[in-house]
Structures are given as C-alpha cells and as structure tokens.
Amino acid sequence: MKGHESLRRKASSGKLLTDEVERCYSSPNIALRRYAHLARIYWEKWGCTRVPYTRKLLLILLLVGVVSVFLLYASKDDYDTSSCTAKENIQDAGPNTYTVIVNTFKRPDLLQKSIRHYASCPNVDAIRVVWSEQDNNPPKEGNDSDSKFFSSCADVVYDQHPTTSLSNRFRPISGLRTEAVFNVDDDVNVECSSLDFAHQAWQLAPDALVGFIPRLHRKTASGTFTYRRWWTVVMEGAYSIILTKACFMHRDYLALYSETVPREAIDFIDKGRNCEDIAMQFAVANHTGRPPLWVVGRYTDAGAFDGISTTGSGILGHRARRDDCVTTFVELYGRDPLVVAHNYVISAGSLWAFLRPPVWIEWFAFP
C-alpha cells in the first residue's frame, strides 16, 4: 500500500484546512440565518411588512427555487468549449493539475459532452474513462467516427474492464501523472472555476474526500442506520459522506478501495447496483479517522432520474437502498468509521451560491 502511510501522516499533522482557504464557516446554519435576516430587511423595505416573517422567508425561497429551475432549463452549456490550449505530453504534471476519471455506461451523448467540457478546463492533465460495457468496444483514437470521444486539449484514455461492476470506477490506474484525481459521473459537469477551487481545497486536505455533494448518516434507536440528503445536511449543519459522483481524492485511494473494502461489500454493491460511493467513504474514513470536506461550487447534474445507479430500478428504488447500504457496511466493518463534519469551504466571492441548492433535484431532497 505505497503512499498510504504518508497520507496517514498528513492526516495526523493538524487541521484539514488553513487560513489559505478563502472562507470557512463552522455551520451552514450561519448562512441560513443571514439569508433569513437579509430577506426580512429587503421585504420590509419593499413595504410588505404585513406578511408574517415566516411567510416572507418561505415566499422568497419559493421564488428563488422557481427562478433556479427556470434558468436550468432555459440555458444550455454554461462553459466555453470553443477554445483550449493543447497540453504537452510530459511525464510529470504540475502541482496544480489533476486527472479527471469519468464513469460512464452506454450514454455516448453524455460522455461526449463530459469529455468536451473537462478537456476545456485548463488544469486538467488527462481524462481517464471507465469503460465497463461488455457488448461495445471503447472508442478508438484515429477513427473519424470516434473523434468526438477524444480531444486535442487533453489526453483521453479508455480503461476497459471485463465486468460491469460499479467498483470499476475505483480500480487502480497505471500511468497517472497527478496525485489528485477527480472522480465524476458522465452526467455531472462541474464548472472549471469550481473544479480548480475544489482542487485547491484538496491540496490542503489530501487525505480527505473533497467534493460537492454532501450526505449525512444517522443511527436509529433500533441500531440500524439511515441516509439523509441535502435539506437534512443544510438544516443540521452536518455531513459525513461526500458522494464520489463529483469528488477529489488521492490516487492511492484507488488501491485502498480495492485492497481494503470487504469482499462481501463489493458483492453487495454489485448485487444491488448501488452504494460504491458510500463504500469509498467508509474505506477512507476507516483508514484516516478523518471526515470528508464539502466544497460549495457550481455544477449541473443530468442524472437525477437516469443515473448509472438508478437506471432500471428508478430513483425511488435507488434511495430506498441507501439506508440498507450504510447499515450493512457498518456490520461488515464491525463499527461505524464515518466521521461527522460541520465545516464547508466556499469562495469568498460566491457566498450567495450557498443560499440555494446547487442543482434543481436538491430542492426536493427531503429529508
């Protein structure tokens, strides 16, 4: 497990974050209270003082939600893919670069869009595509019909796997030139500036999973566990899981997953076609004893109802299994290794972004 001990030493060296982070609040509730206070001031300024305070806030939140959904459907790609700078083929990438690992499965249109987008980000060193399709060979560079699956802006390499296991996304990869890897689904596009900001946060916490989508687990009175989403995280100001559908991690954690996640957990994941992301969080937390790190950023998610883990079973079936996943993994590990965090990282220039869910589906992520 080369590199694991160095990561463990980094984990024990002190705080996850330093003053170099632009802004870090101890609880998202602070932002919510400020939001409510500003909403009240503006509403009273507009002369609507007869409406009760709670109704004012609810109406404003509803208005923000409607506008956000409208903008989501009214706009297409919000990034520029018309130009890029071709990168030299070098052995070692610079410290500010990272590799993007795209997980895809039989969605060529989304894959093309994902490659086009991430190749346009200036600090992406290379793109590695997890290819698990058994009835189709991966695109081949040089074929005119496959040209849209490659880019002159970044190396695009297809890593073919002999199975359809969801854990393929965490198999060790040879030839990586960067320590940081950004694991992402083909239906999630993170804006380049948010991607760079999250990488900067990861550089301060290379032992953690650093990403954009937080979740929280809870223990019930009966001893089982529940899995909670956006609004629970926001209202309680706590999270213990970062989803790997948009997440930075150290490249050594690919080997960590393959070597330490119990075989029974892998079989459970393959049988249910779900929860490899939770298993990665278990593996990292069990190894470091540290919590993940949530970065607030801008991204789009086209997989709310047709994600890699939700196709066929539907989104309701997908969510129903998450509780069982957490409970099963705790049993297999013999303890609950997940660590609850109360901090998040946000750019000082985009504090307003936290005042609304990042994508429309999160508005309905109750509880």
Short mmCIF file of all heavy atoms in Angstrom, two decimals, residues 175-228:
data_model
loop_
_atom_site.label_atom_id
_atom_site.label_comp_id
_atom_site.label_asym_id
_atom_site.label_seq_id
_atom_site.Cartn_x
_atom_site.Cartn_y
_atom_site.Cartn_z
N GLY A 175 -0.17 4.79 -15.01
CA GLY A 175 0.17 5.92 -15.87
C GLY A 175 -0.39 7.25 -15.43
O GLY A 175 -0.33 8.22 -16.21
N LEU A 176 -0.92 7.35 -14.21
CA LEU A 176 -1.42 8.64 -13.73
C LEU A 176 -0.24 9.58 -13.46
O LEU A 176 0.72 9.21 -12.79
CB LEU A 176 -2.24 8.46 -12.45
CG LEU A 176 -3.59 7.74 -12.59
CD1 LEU A 176 -4.24 7.57 -11.22
CD2 LEU A 176 -4.52 8.51 -13.52
N ARG A 177 -0.33 10.80 -13.95
CA ARG A 177 0.74 11.78 -13.76
C ARG A 177 0.46 12.74 -12.62
O ARG A 177 1.29 13.59 -12.30
CB ARG A 177 0.97 12.56 -15.06
CG ARG A 177 1.44 11.72 -16.23
CD ARG A 177 1.86 12.61 -17.40
NE ARG A 177 0.75 13.34 -17.96
CZ ARG A 177 0.21 13.10 -19.15
NH1 ARG A 177 0.68 12.10 -19.88
NH2 ARG A 177 -0.78 13.83 -19.60
N THR A 178 -0.73 12.67 -12.03
CA THR A 178 -1.10 13.59 -10.94
C THR A 178 -1.47 12.80 -9.69
O THR A 178 -1.97 11.67 -9.78
CB THR A 178 -2.29 14.47 -11.34
OG1 THR A 178 -3.45 13.63 -11.53
CG2 THR A 178 -2.00 15.22 -12.64
N GLU A 179 -1.23 13.40 -8.53
CA GLU A 179 -1.65 12.77 -7.28
C GLU A 179 -3.15 12.91 -7.09
O GLU A 179 -3.81 12.02 -6.56
CB GLU A 179 -0.92 13.40 -6.09
CG GLU A 179 0.55 13.05 -6.00
CD GLU A 179 1.17 13.51 -4.69
OE1 GLU A 179 0.51 14.29 -3.97
OE2 GLU A 179 2.28 13.06 -4.39
N ALA A 180 -3.70 14.03 -7.52
CA ALA A 180 -5.14 14.29 -7.36
C ALA A 180 -5.90 13.73 -8.54
O ALA A 180 -5.53 13.93 -9.70
CB ALA A 180 -5.40 15.79 -7.23
N VAL A 181 -6.99 13.01 -8.23
CA VAL A 181 -7.90 12.54 -9.27
C VAL A 181 -9.31 13.03 -8.91
O VAL A 181 -9.71 13.02 -7.75
CB VAL A 181 -7.88 11.01 -9.42
CG1 VAL A 181 -6.51 10.54 -9.90
CG2 VAL A 181 -8.26 10.30 -8.13
N PHE A 182 -10.02 13.46 -9.92
CA PHE A 182 -11.40 13.90 -9.73
C PHE A 182 -12.32 12.86 -10.33
O PHE A 182 -12.38 12.67 -11.54
CB PHE A 182 -11.63 15.26 -10.40
CG PHE A 182 -13.03 15.79 -10.21
CD1 PHE A 182 -13.46 16.21 -8.96
CD2 PHE A 182 -13.92 15.87 -11.28
CE1 PHE A 182 -14.75 16.71 -8.77
CE2 PHE A 182 -15.21 16.35 -11.10
CZ PHE A 182 -15.62 16.77 -9.84
N ASN A 183 -13.02 12.13 -9.46
CA ASN A 183 -13.93 11.08 -9.89
C ASN A 183 -15.30 11.69 -10.16
O ASN A 183 -15.85 12.36 -9.28
CB ASN A 183 -14.01 10.00 -8.81
CG ASN A 183 -14.18 8.62 -9.41
OD1 ASN A 183 -15.20 8.35 -10.04
ND2 ASN A 183 -13.19 7.76 -9.19
N VAL A 184 -15.86 11.45 -11.34
CA VAL A 184 -17.11 12.11 -11.71
C VAL A 184 -17.94 11.21 -12.62
O VAL A 184 -17.40 10.41 -13.40
CB VAL A 184 -16.82 13.46 -12.40
CG1 VAL A 184 -16.11 13.25 -13.74
CG2 VAL A 184 -18.08 14.30 -12.57
N ASP A 185 -19.26 11.29 -12.49
CA ASP A 185 -20.16 10.59 -13.41
C ASP A 185 -20.27 11.36 -14.70
O ASP A 185 -20.10 12.59 -14.74
CB ASP A 185 -21.54 10.43 -12.78
CG ASP A 185 -21.58 9.37 -11.70
OD1 ASP A 185 -20.55 8.68 -11.50
OD2 ASP A 185 -22.63 9.22 -11.05
N ASP A 186 -20.62 10.67 -15.78
CA ASP A 186 -20.70 11.33 -17.09
C ASP A 186 -21.84 12.33 -17.18
O ASP A 186 -21.88 13.14 -18.12
CB ASP A 186 -20.82 10.29 -18.21
CG ASP A 186 -22.04 9.38 -18.06
OD1 ASP A 186 -22.88 9.63 -17.16
OD2 ASP A 186 -22.16 8.40 -18.82
N ASP A 187 -22.79 12.29 -16.23
CA ASP A 187 -23.91 13.23 -16.27
C ASP A 187 -23.72 14.44 -15.36
O ASP A 187 -24.63 15.25 -15.20
CB ASP A 187 -25.22 12.52 -15.91
CG ASP A 187 -25.10 11.69 -14.63
OD1 ASP A 187 -24.28 12.03 -13.77
OD2 ASP A 187 -25.83 10.69 -14.52
N VAL A 188 -22.54 14.58 -14.76
CA VAL A 188 -22.25 15.71 -13.88
C VAL A 188 -21.14 16.56 -14.50
O VAL A 188 -20.05 16.05 -14.77
CB VAL A 188 -21.83 15.24 -12.47
CG1 VAL A 188 -21.45 16.44 -11.60
CG2 VAL A 188 -22.95 14.44 -11.82
N ASN A 189 -21.42 17.83 -14.71
CA ASN A 189 -20.41 18.76 -15.24
C ASN A 189 -20.18 19.88 -14.24
O ASN A 189 -21.08 20.70 -13.99
CB ASN A 189 -20.86 19.34 -16.58
CG ASN A 189 -20.72 18.35 -17.71
OD1 ASN A 189 -19.85 17.48 -17.68
ND2 ASN A 189 -21.56 18.48 -18.73
N VAL A 190 -19.01 19.91 -13.66
CA VAL A 190 -18.63 20.93 -12.69
C VAL A 190 -17.92 22.06 -13.44
O VAL A 190 -17.02 21.79 -14.25
CB VAL A 190 -17.70 20.37 -11.60
CG1 VAL A 190 -17.31 21.45 -10.61
CG2 VAL A 190 -18.38 19.20 -10.89
N GLU A 191 -18.32 23.28 -13.19
CA GLU A 191 -17.67 24.41 -13.85
C GLU A 191 -16.17 24.41 -13.56
O GLU A 191 -15.74 24.06 -12.46
CB GLU A 191 -18.29 25.73 -13.38
CG GLU A 191 -19.69 25.95 -13.91
CD GLU A 191 -20.18 27.36 -13.64
OE1 GLU A 191 -19.40 28.16 -13.09
OE2 GLU A 191 -21.35 27.64 -13.96
N CYS A 192 -15.39 24.81 -14.55
CA CYS A 192 -13.92 24.76 -14.43
C CYS A 192 -13.42 25.55 -13.22
O CYS A 192 -12.51 25.10 -12.52
CB CYS A 192 -13.28 25.28 -15.71
SG CYS A 192 -13.63 24.29 -17.19
N SER A 193 -13.99 26.72 -12.96
CA SER A 193 -13.53 27.52 -11.83
C SER A 193 -13.83 26.83 -10.51
O SER A 193 -13.02 26.85 -9.58
CB SER A 193 -14.20 28.90 -11.87
OG SER A 193 -15.62 28.79 -11.84
N SER A 194 -15.00 26.19 -10.40
CA SER A 194 -15.33 25.45 -9.19
C SER A 194 -14.43 24.23 -9.04
O SER A 194 -14.04 23.86 -7.92
CB SER A 194 -16.80 25.01 -9.22
OG SER A 194 -17.68 26.11 -9.11
N LEU A 195 -14.10 23.61 -10.15
CA LEU A 195 -13.21 22.45 -10.13
C LEU A 195 -11.83 22.85 -9.61
O LEU A 195 -11.25 22.17 -8.75
CB LEU A 195 -13.11 21.88 -11.54
CG LEU A 195 -12.64 20.43 -11.68
CD1 LEU A 195 -13.56 19.48 -10.95
CD2 LEU A 195 -12.56 20.06 -13.16
N ASP A 196 -11.30 23.96 -10.10
CA ASP A 196 -10.00 24.44 -9.64
C ASP A 196 -10.04 24.81 -8.16
O ASP A 196 -9.09 24.54 -7.41
CB ASP A 196 -9.56 25.65 -10.46
CG ASP A 196 -9.15 25.28 -11.88
OD1 ASP A 196 -8.90 24.08 -12.13
OD2 ASP A 196 -9.08 26.19 -12.74
N PHE A 197 -11.12 25.43 -7.73
CA PHE A 197 -11.25 25.82 -6.32
C PHE A 197 -11.29 24.58 -5.42
O PHE A 197 -10.66 24.56 -4.36
CB PHE A 197 -12.50 26.66 -6.12
CG PHE A 197 -12.70 27.14 -4.71
CD1 PHE A 197 -11.85 28.08 -4.15
CD2 PHE A 197 -13.73 26.65 -3.93
CE1 PHE A 197 -12.01 28.52 -2.84
CE2 PHE A 197 -13.92 27.08 -2.63
CZ PHE A 197 -13.05 28.02 -2.08
N ALA A 198 -12.03 23.56 -5.84
CA ALA A 198 -12.09 22.33 -5.06
C ALA A 198 -10.72 21.65 -5.01
O ALA A 198 -10.34 21.07 -3.98
CB ALA A 198 -13.13 21.38 -5.65
N HIS A 199 -9.97 21.73 -6.09
CA HIS A 199 -8.63 21.14 -6.09
C HIS A 199 -7.72 21.88 -5.12
O HIS A 199 -6.90 21.26 -4.43
CB HIS A 199 -8.03 21.19 -7.50
CG HIS A 199 -6.65 20.62 -7.58
ND1 HIS A 199 -5.55 21.39 -7.89
CD2 HIS A 199 -6.18 19.36 -7.35
CE1 HIS A 199 -4.46 20.64 -7.87
NE2 HIS A 199 -4.82 19.41 -7.55
N GLN A 200 -7.86 23.19 -5.04
CA GLN A 200 -7.08 23.95 -4.06
C GLN A 200 -7.42 23.52 -2.64
O GLN A 200 -6.54 23.40 -1.78
CB GLN A 200 -7.34 25.44 -4.24
CG GLN A 200 -6.80 26.01 -5.55
CD GLN A 200 -7.30 27.42 -5.81
OE1 GLN A 200 -7.81 28.08 -4.93
NE2 GLN A 200 -7.18 27.87 -7.06
N ALA A 201 -8.71 23.29 -2.38
CA ALA A 201 -9.12 22.80 -1.06
C ALA A 201 -8.55 21.41 -0.81
O ALA A 201 -8.09 21.11 0.30
CB ALA A 201 -10.64 22.79 -0.95
N TRP A 202 -8.56 20.55 -1.83
CA TRP A 202 -8.00 19.22 -1.67
C TRP A 202 -6.51 19.27 -1.36
O TRP A 202 -6.00 18.45 -0.57
CB TRP A 202 -8.23 18.40 -2.95
CG TRP A 202 -7.59 17.03 -2.85
CD1 TRP A 202 -8.12 15.91 -2.30
CD2 TRP A 202 -6.27 16.69 -3.29
NE1 TRP A 202 -7.22 14.87 -2.37
CE2 TRP A 202 -6.07 15.32 -2.97
CE3 TRP A 202 -5.23 17.38 -3.91
CZ2 TRP A 202 -4.88 14.65 -3.26
CZ3 TRP A 202 -4.04 16.71 -4.20
CH2 TRP A 202 -3.88 15.36 -3.87
N GLN A 203 -5.79 20.21 -1.95
CA GLN A 203 -4.36 20.32 -1.68
C GLN A 203 -4.09 20.60 -0.20
O GLN A 203 -3.02 20.25 0.31
CB GLN A 203 -3.75 21.43 -2.55
CG GLN A 203 -3.65 21.05 -4.03
CD GLN A 203 -3.10 22.18 -4.88
OE1 GLN A 203 -3.57 23.31 -4.82
NE2 GLN A 203 -2.09 21.87 -5.68
N LEU A 204 -5.04 21.22 0.47
CA LEU A 204 -4.90 21.47 1.90
C LEU A 204 -5.38 20.28 2.73
O LEU A 204 -5.10 20.23 3.94
CB LEU A 204 -5.70 22.73 2.29
CG LEU A 204 -5.29 24.02 1.60
CD1 LEU A 204 -6.25 25.15 1.94
CD2 LEU A 204 -3.86 24.40 1.99
N ALA A 205 -6.08 19.36 2.10
CA ALA A 205 -6.60 18.19 2.82
C ALA A 205 -6.50 16.96 1.92
O ALA A 205 -7.52 16.36 1.57
CB ALA A 205 -8.04 18.44 3.25
N PRO A 206 -5.29 16.55 1.53
CA PRO A 206 -5.15 15.46 0.56
C PRO A 206 -5.54 14.09 1.10
O PRO A 206 -5.65 13.13 0.33
CB PRO A 206 -3.65 15.50 0.21
CG PRO A 206 -3.01 16.11 1.42
CD PRO A 206 -4.00 17.12 1.93
N ASP A 207 -5.76 14.00 2.40
CA ASP A 207 -6.18 12.73 2.99
C ASP A 207 -7.69 12.56 2.97
O ASP A 207 -8.21 11.49 3.32
CB ASP A 207 -5.68 12.63 4.43
CG ASP A 207 -6.20 13.77 5.28
OD1 ASP A 207 -5.93 14.94 4.94
OD2 ASP A 207 -6.89 13.50 6.29
N ALA A 208 -8.43 13.59 2.59
CA ALA A 208 -9.90 13.58 2.66
C ALA A 208 -10.51 13.38 1.28
O ALA A 208 -9.88 13.62 0.24
CB ALA A 208 -10.41 14.88 3.27
N LEU A 209 -11.76 12.94 1.26
CA LEU A 209 -12.57 13.03 0.06
C LEU A 209 -13.14 14.44 0.02
O LEU A 209 -13.81 14.88 0.95
CB LEU A 209 -13.71 12.01 0.09
CG LEU A 209 -13.32 10.53 0.06
CD1 LEU A 209 -14.57 9.66 -0.03
CD2 LEU A 209 -12.37 10.21 -1.09
N VAL A 210 -12.87 15.15 -1.05
CA VAL A 210 -13.25 16.56 -1.17
C VAL A 210 -14.17 16.70 -2.37
O VAL A 210 -13.77 16.44 -3.51
CB VAL A 210 -12.00 17.46 -1.35
CG1 VAL A 210 -12.41 18.92 -1.51
CG2 VAL A 210 -11.06 17.30 -0.16
N GLY A 211 -15.42 17.10 -2.12
CA GLY A 211 -16.36 17.15 -3.22
C GLY A 211 -17.53 18.06 -2.99
O GLY A 211 -17.58 18.81 -1.99
N PHE A 212 -18.50 17.98 -3.89
CA PHE A 212 -19.56 18.97 -3.98
C PHE A 212 -20.92 18.50 -3.44
O PHE A 212 -21.82 19.32 -3.29
CB PHE A 212 -19.75 19.39 -5.44
CG PHE A 212 -18.54 20.04 -6.04
CD1 PHE A 212 -17.60 19.28 -6.73
CD2 PHE A 212 -18.32 21.40 -5.91
CE1 PHE A 212 -16.47 19.87 -7.28
CE2 PHE A 212 -17.20 22.00 -6.46
CZ PHE A 212 -16.27 21.23 -7.15
N ILE A 213 -21.06 17.21 -3.17
CA ILE A 213 -22.39 16.69 -2.83
C ILE A 213 -22.31 15.97 -1.48
O ILE A 213 -21.87 14.82 -1.41
CB ILE A 213 -22.90 15.74 -3.92
CG1 ILE A 213 -22.79 16.41 -5.30
CG2 ILE A 213 -24.35 15.33 -3.64
CD1 ILE A 213 -23.09 15.51 -6.46
N PRO A 214 -22.77 16.64 -0.40
CA PRO A 214 -22.67 16.05 0.94
C PRO A 214 -23.92 15.26 1.32
O PRO A 214 -25.03 15.57 0.87
CB PRO A 214 -22.53 17.28 1.84
CG PRO A 214 -23.36 18.32 1.13
CD PRO A 214 -23.23 18.04 -0.36
N ARG A 215 -23.73 14.26 2.15
CA ARG A 215 -24.82 13.48 2.72
C ARG A 215 -24.52 13.18 4.19
O ARG A 215 -23.38 13.32 4.63
CB ARG A 215 -25.03 12.18 1.94
CG ARG A 215 -25.46 12.38 0.47
CD ARG A 215 -26.83 13.01 0.36
NE ARG A 215 -27.32 13.10 -1.00
CZ ARG A 215 -27.35 14.21 -1.71
NH1 ARG A 215 -26.87 15.34 -1.20
NH2 ARG A 215 -27.86 14.21 -2.94
N LEU A 216 -25.54 12.76 4.92
CA LEU A 216 -25.39 12.51 6.35
C LEU A 216 -25.99 11.16 6.70
O LEU A 216 -27.04 10.78 6.19
CB LEU A 216 -26.09 13.61 7.15
CG LEU A 216 -26.10 13.48 8.68
CD1 LEU A 216 -24.70 13.63 9.24
CD2 LEU A 216 -27.05 14.52 9.29
N HIS A 217 -25.32 10.42 7.59
CA HIS A 217 -25.88 9.17 8.08
C HIS A 217 -26.27 9.33 9.55
O HIS A 217 -25.68 10.13 10.28
CB HIS A 217 -24.90 8.01 7.91
CG HIS A 217 -23.82 7.95 8.96
ND1 HIS A 217 -22.93 8.98 9.20
CD2 HIS A 217 -23.51 6.97 9.85
CE1 HIS A 217 -22.11 8.64 10.17
NE2 HIS A 217 -22.45 7.42 10.59
N ARG A 218 -27.26 8.58 9.96
CA ARG A 218 -27.74 8.64 11.34
C ARG A 218 -27.98 7.23 11.86
O ARG A 218 -28.39 6.34 11.10
CB ARG A 218 -29.07 9.39 11.42
CG ARG A 218 -29.01 10.89 11.33
CD ARG A 218 -30.42 11.41 11.36
NE ARG A 218 -30.53 12.86 11.40
CZ ARG A 218 -31.67 13.52 11.23
NH1 ARG A 218 -32.78 12.83 10.99
NH2 ARG A 218 -31.72 14.83 11.30
N LYS A 219 -27.79 7.06 13.16
CA LYS A 219 -28.11 5.79 13.81
C LYS A 219 -29.48 5.90 14.45
O LYS A 219 -29.79 6.86 15.14
CB LYS A 219 -27.07 5.43 14.86
CG LYS A 219 -27.23 4.04 15.44
CD LYS A 219 -26.09 3.69 16.37
CE LYS A 219 -26.22 2.26 16.88
NZ LYS A 219 -25.08 1.89 17.77
N THR A 220 -30.32 4.91 14.22
CA THR A 220 -31.67 4.91 14.76
C THR A 220 -31.70 4.21 16.11
O THR A 220 -30.72 3.58 16.54
CB THR A 220 -32.64 4.21 13.80
OG1 THR A 220 -32.30 2.81 13.74
CG2 THR A 220 -32.55 4.81 12.41
N ALA A 221 -32.83 4.31 16.80
CA ALA A 221 -32.99 3.68 18.11
C ALA A 221 -32.87 2.16 18.03
O ALA A 221 -32.45 1.50 18.98
CB ALA A 221 -34.34 4.07 18.71
N SER A 222 -33.20 1.60 16.86
CA SER A 222 -33.14 0.14 16.70
C SER A 222 -31.75 -0.36 16.35
O SER A 222 -31.53 -1.57 16.25
CB SER A 222 -34.13 -0.29 15.62
OG SER A 222 -33.76 0.27 14.36
N GLY A 223 -30.81 0.58 16.14
CA GLY A 223 -29.44 0.18 15.82
C GLY A 223 -29.11 0.17 14.34
O GLY A 223 -27.96 -0.03 13.96
N THR A 224 -30.11 0.38 13.49
CA THR A 224 -29.86 0.49 12.06
C THR A 224 -29.47 1.93 11.73
O THR A 224 -29.47 2.81 12.59
CB THR A 224 -31.10 0.08 11.25
OG1 THR A 224 -32.19 0.95 11.59
CG2 THR A 224 -31.48 -1.36 11.56
N PHE A 225 -29.16 2.17 10.45
CA PHE A 225 -28.71 3.49 10.04
C PHE A 225 -29.59 4.02 8.90
O PHE A 225 -30.12 3.25 8.09
CB PHE A 225 -27.25 3.46 9.59
CG PHE A 225 -26.29 3.27 10.73
CD1 PHE A 225 -26.03 2.00 11.23
CD2 PHE A 225 -25.65 4.36 11.31
CE1 PHE A 225 -25.14 1.82 12.27
CE2 PHE A 225 -24.77 4.18 12.35
CZ PHE A 225 -24.51 2.91 12.84
N THR A 226 -29.71 5.33 8.85
CA THR A 226 -30.43 6.00 7.78
C THR A 226 -29.48 6.92 7.03
O THR A 226 -28.45 7.36 7.56
CB THR A 226 -31.61 6.82 8.31
OG1 THR A 226 -31.12 7.81 9.23
CG2 THR A 226 -32.62 5.93 9.02
N TYR A 227 -29.85 7.20 5.80
CA TYR A 227 -29.05 8.02 4.89
C TYR A 227 -29.87 9.25 4.53
O TYR A 227 -30.98 9.14 4.04
CB TYR A 227 -28.74 7.17 3.65
CG TYR A 227 -28.12 7.89 2.48
CD1 TYR A 227 -26.74 7.99 2.35
CD2 TYR A 227 -28.93 8.42 1.46
CE1 TYR A 227 -26.18 8.61 1.24
CE2 TYR A 227 -28.37 9.03 0.36
CZ TYR A 227 -26.99 9.13 0.25
OH TYR A 227 -26.44 9.74 -0.85
N ARG A 228 -29.32 10.43 4.85
CA ARG A 228 -30.06 11.67 4.67
C ARG A 228 -29.37 12.56 3.65
O ARG A 228 -28.15 12.56 3.51
CB ARG A 228 -30.22 12.39 6.01
CG ARG A 228 -31.14 11.64 6.97
CD ARG A 228 -32.54 11.63 6.42
NE ARG A 228 -33.48 10.88 7.25
CZ ARG A 228 -33.92 9.66 6.97
NH1 ARG A 228 -33.47 9.02 5.91
NH2 ARG A 228 -34.79 9.07 7.76
#
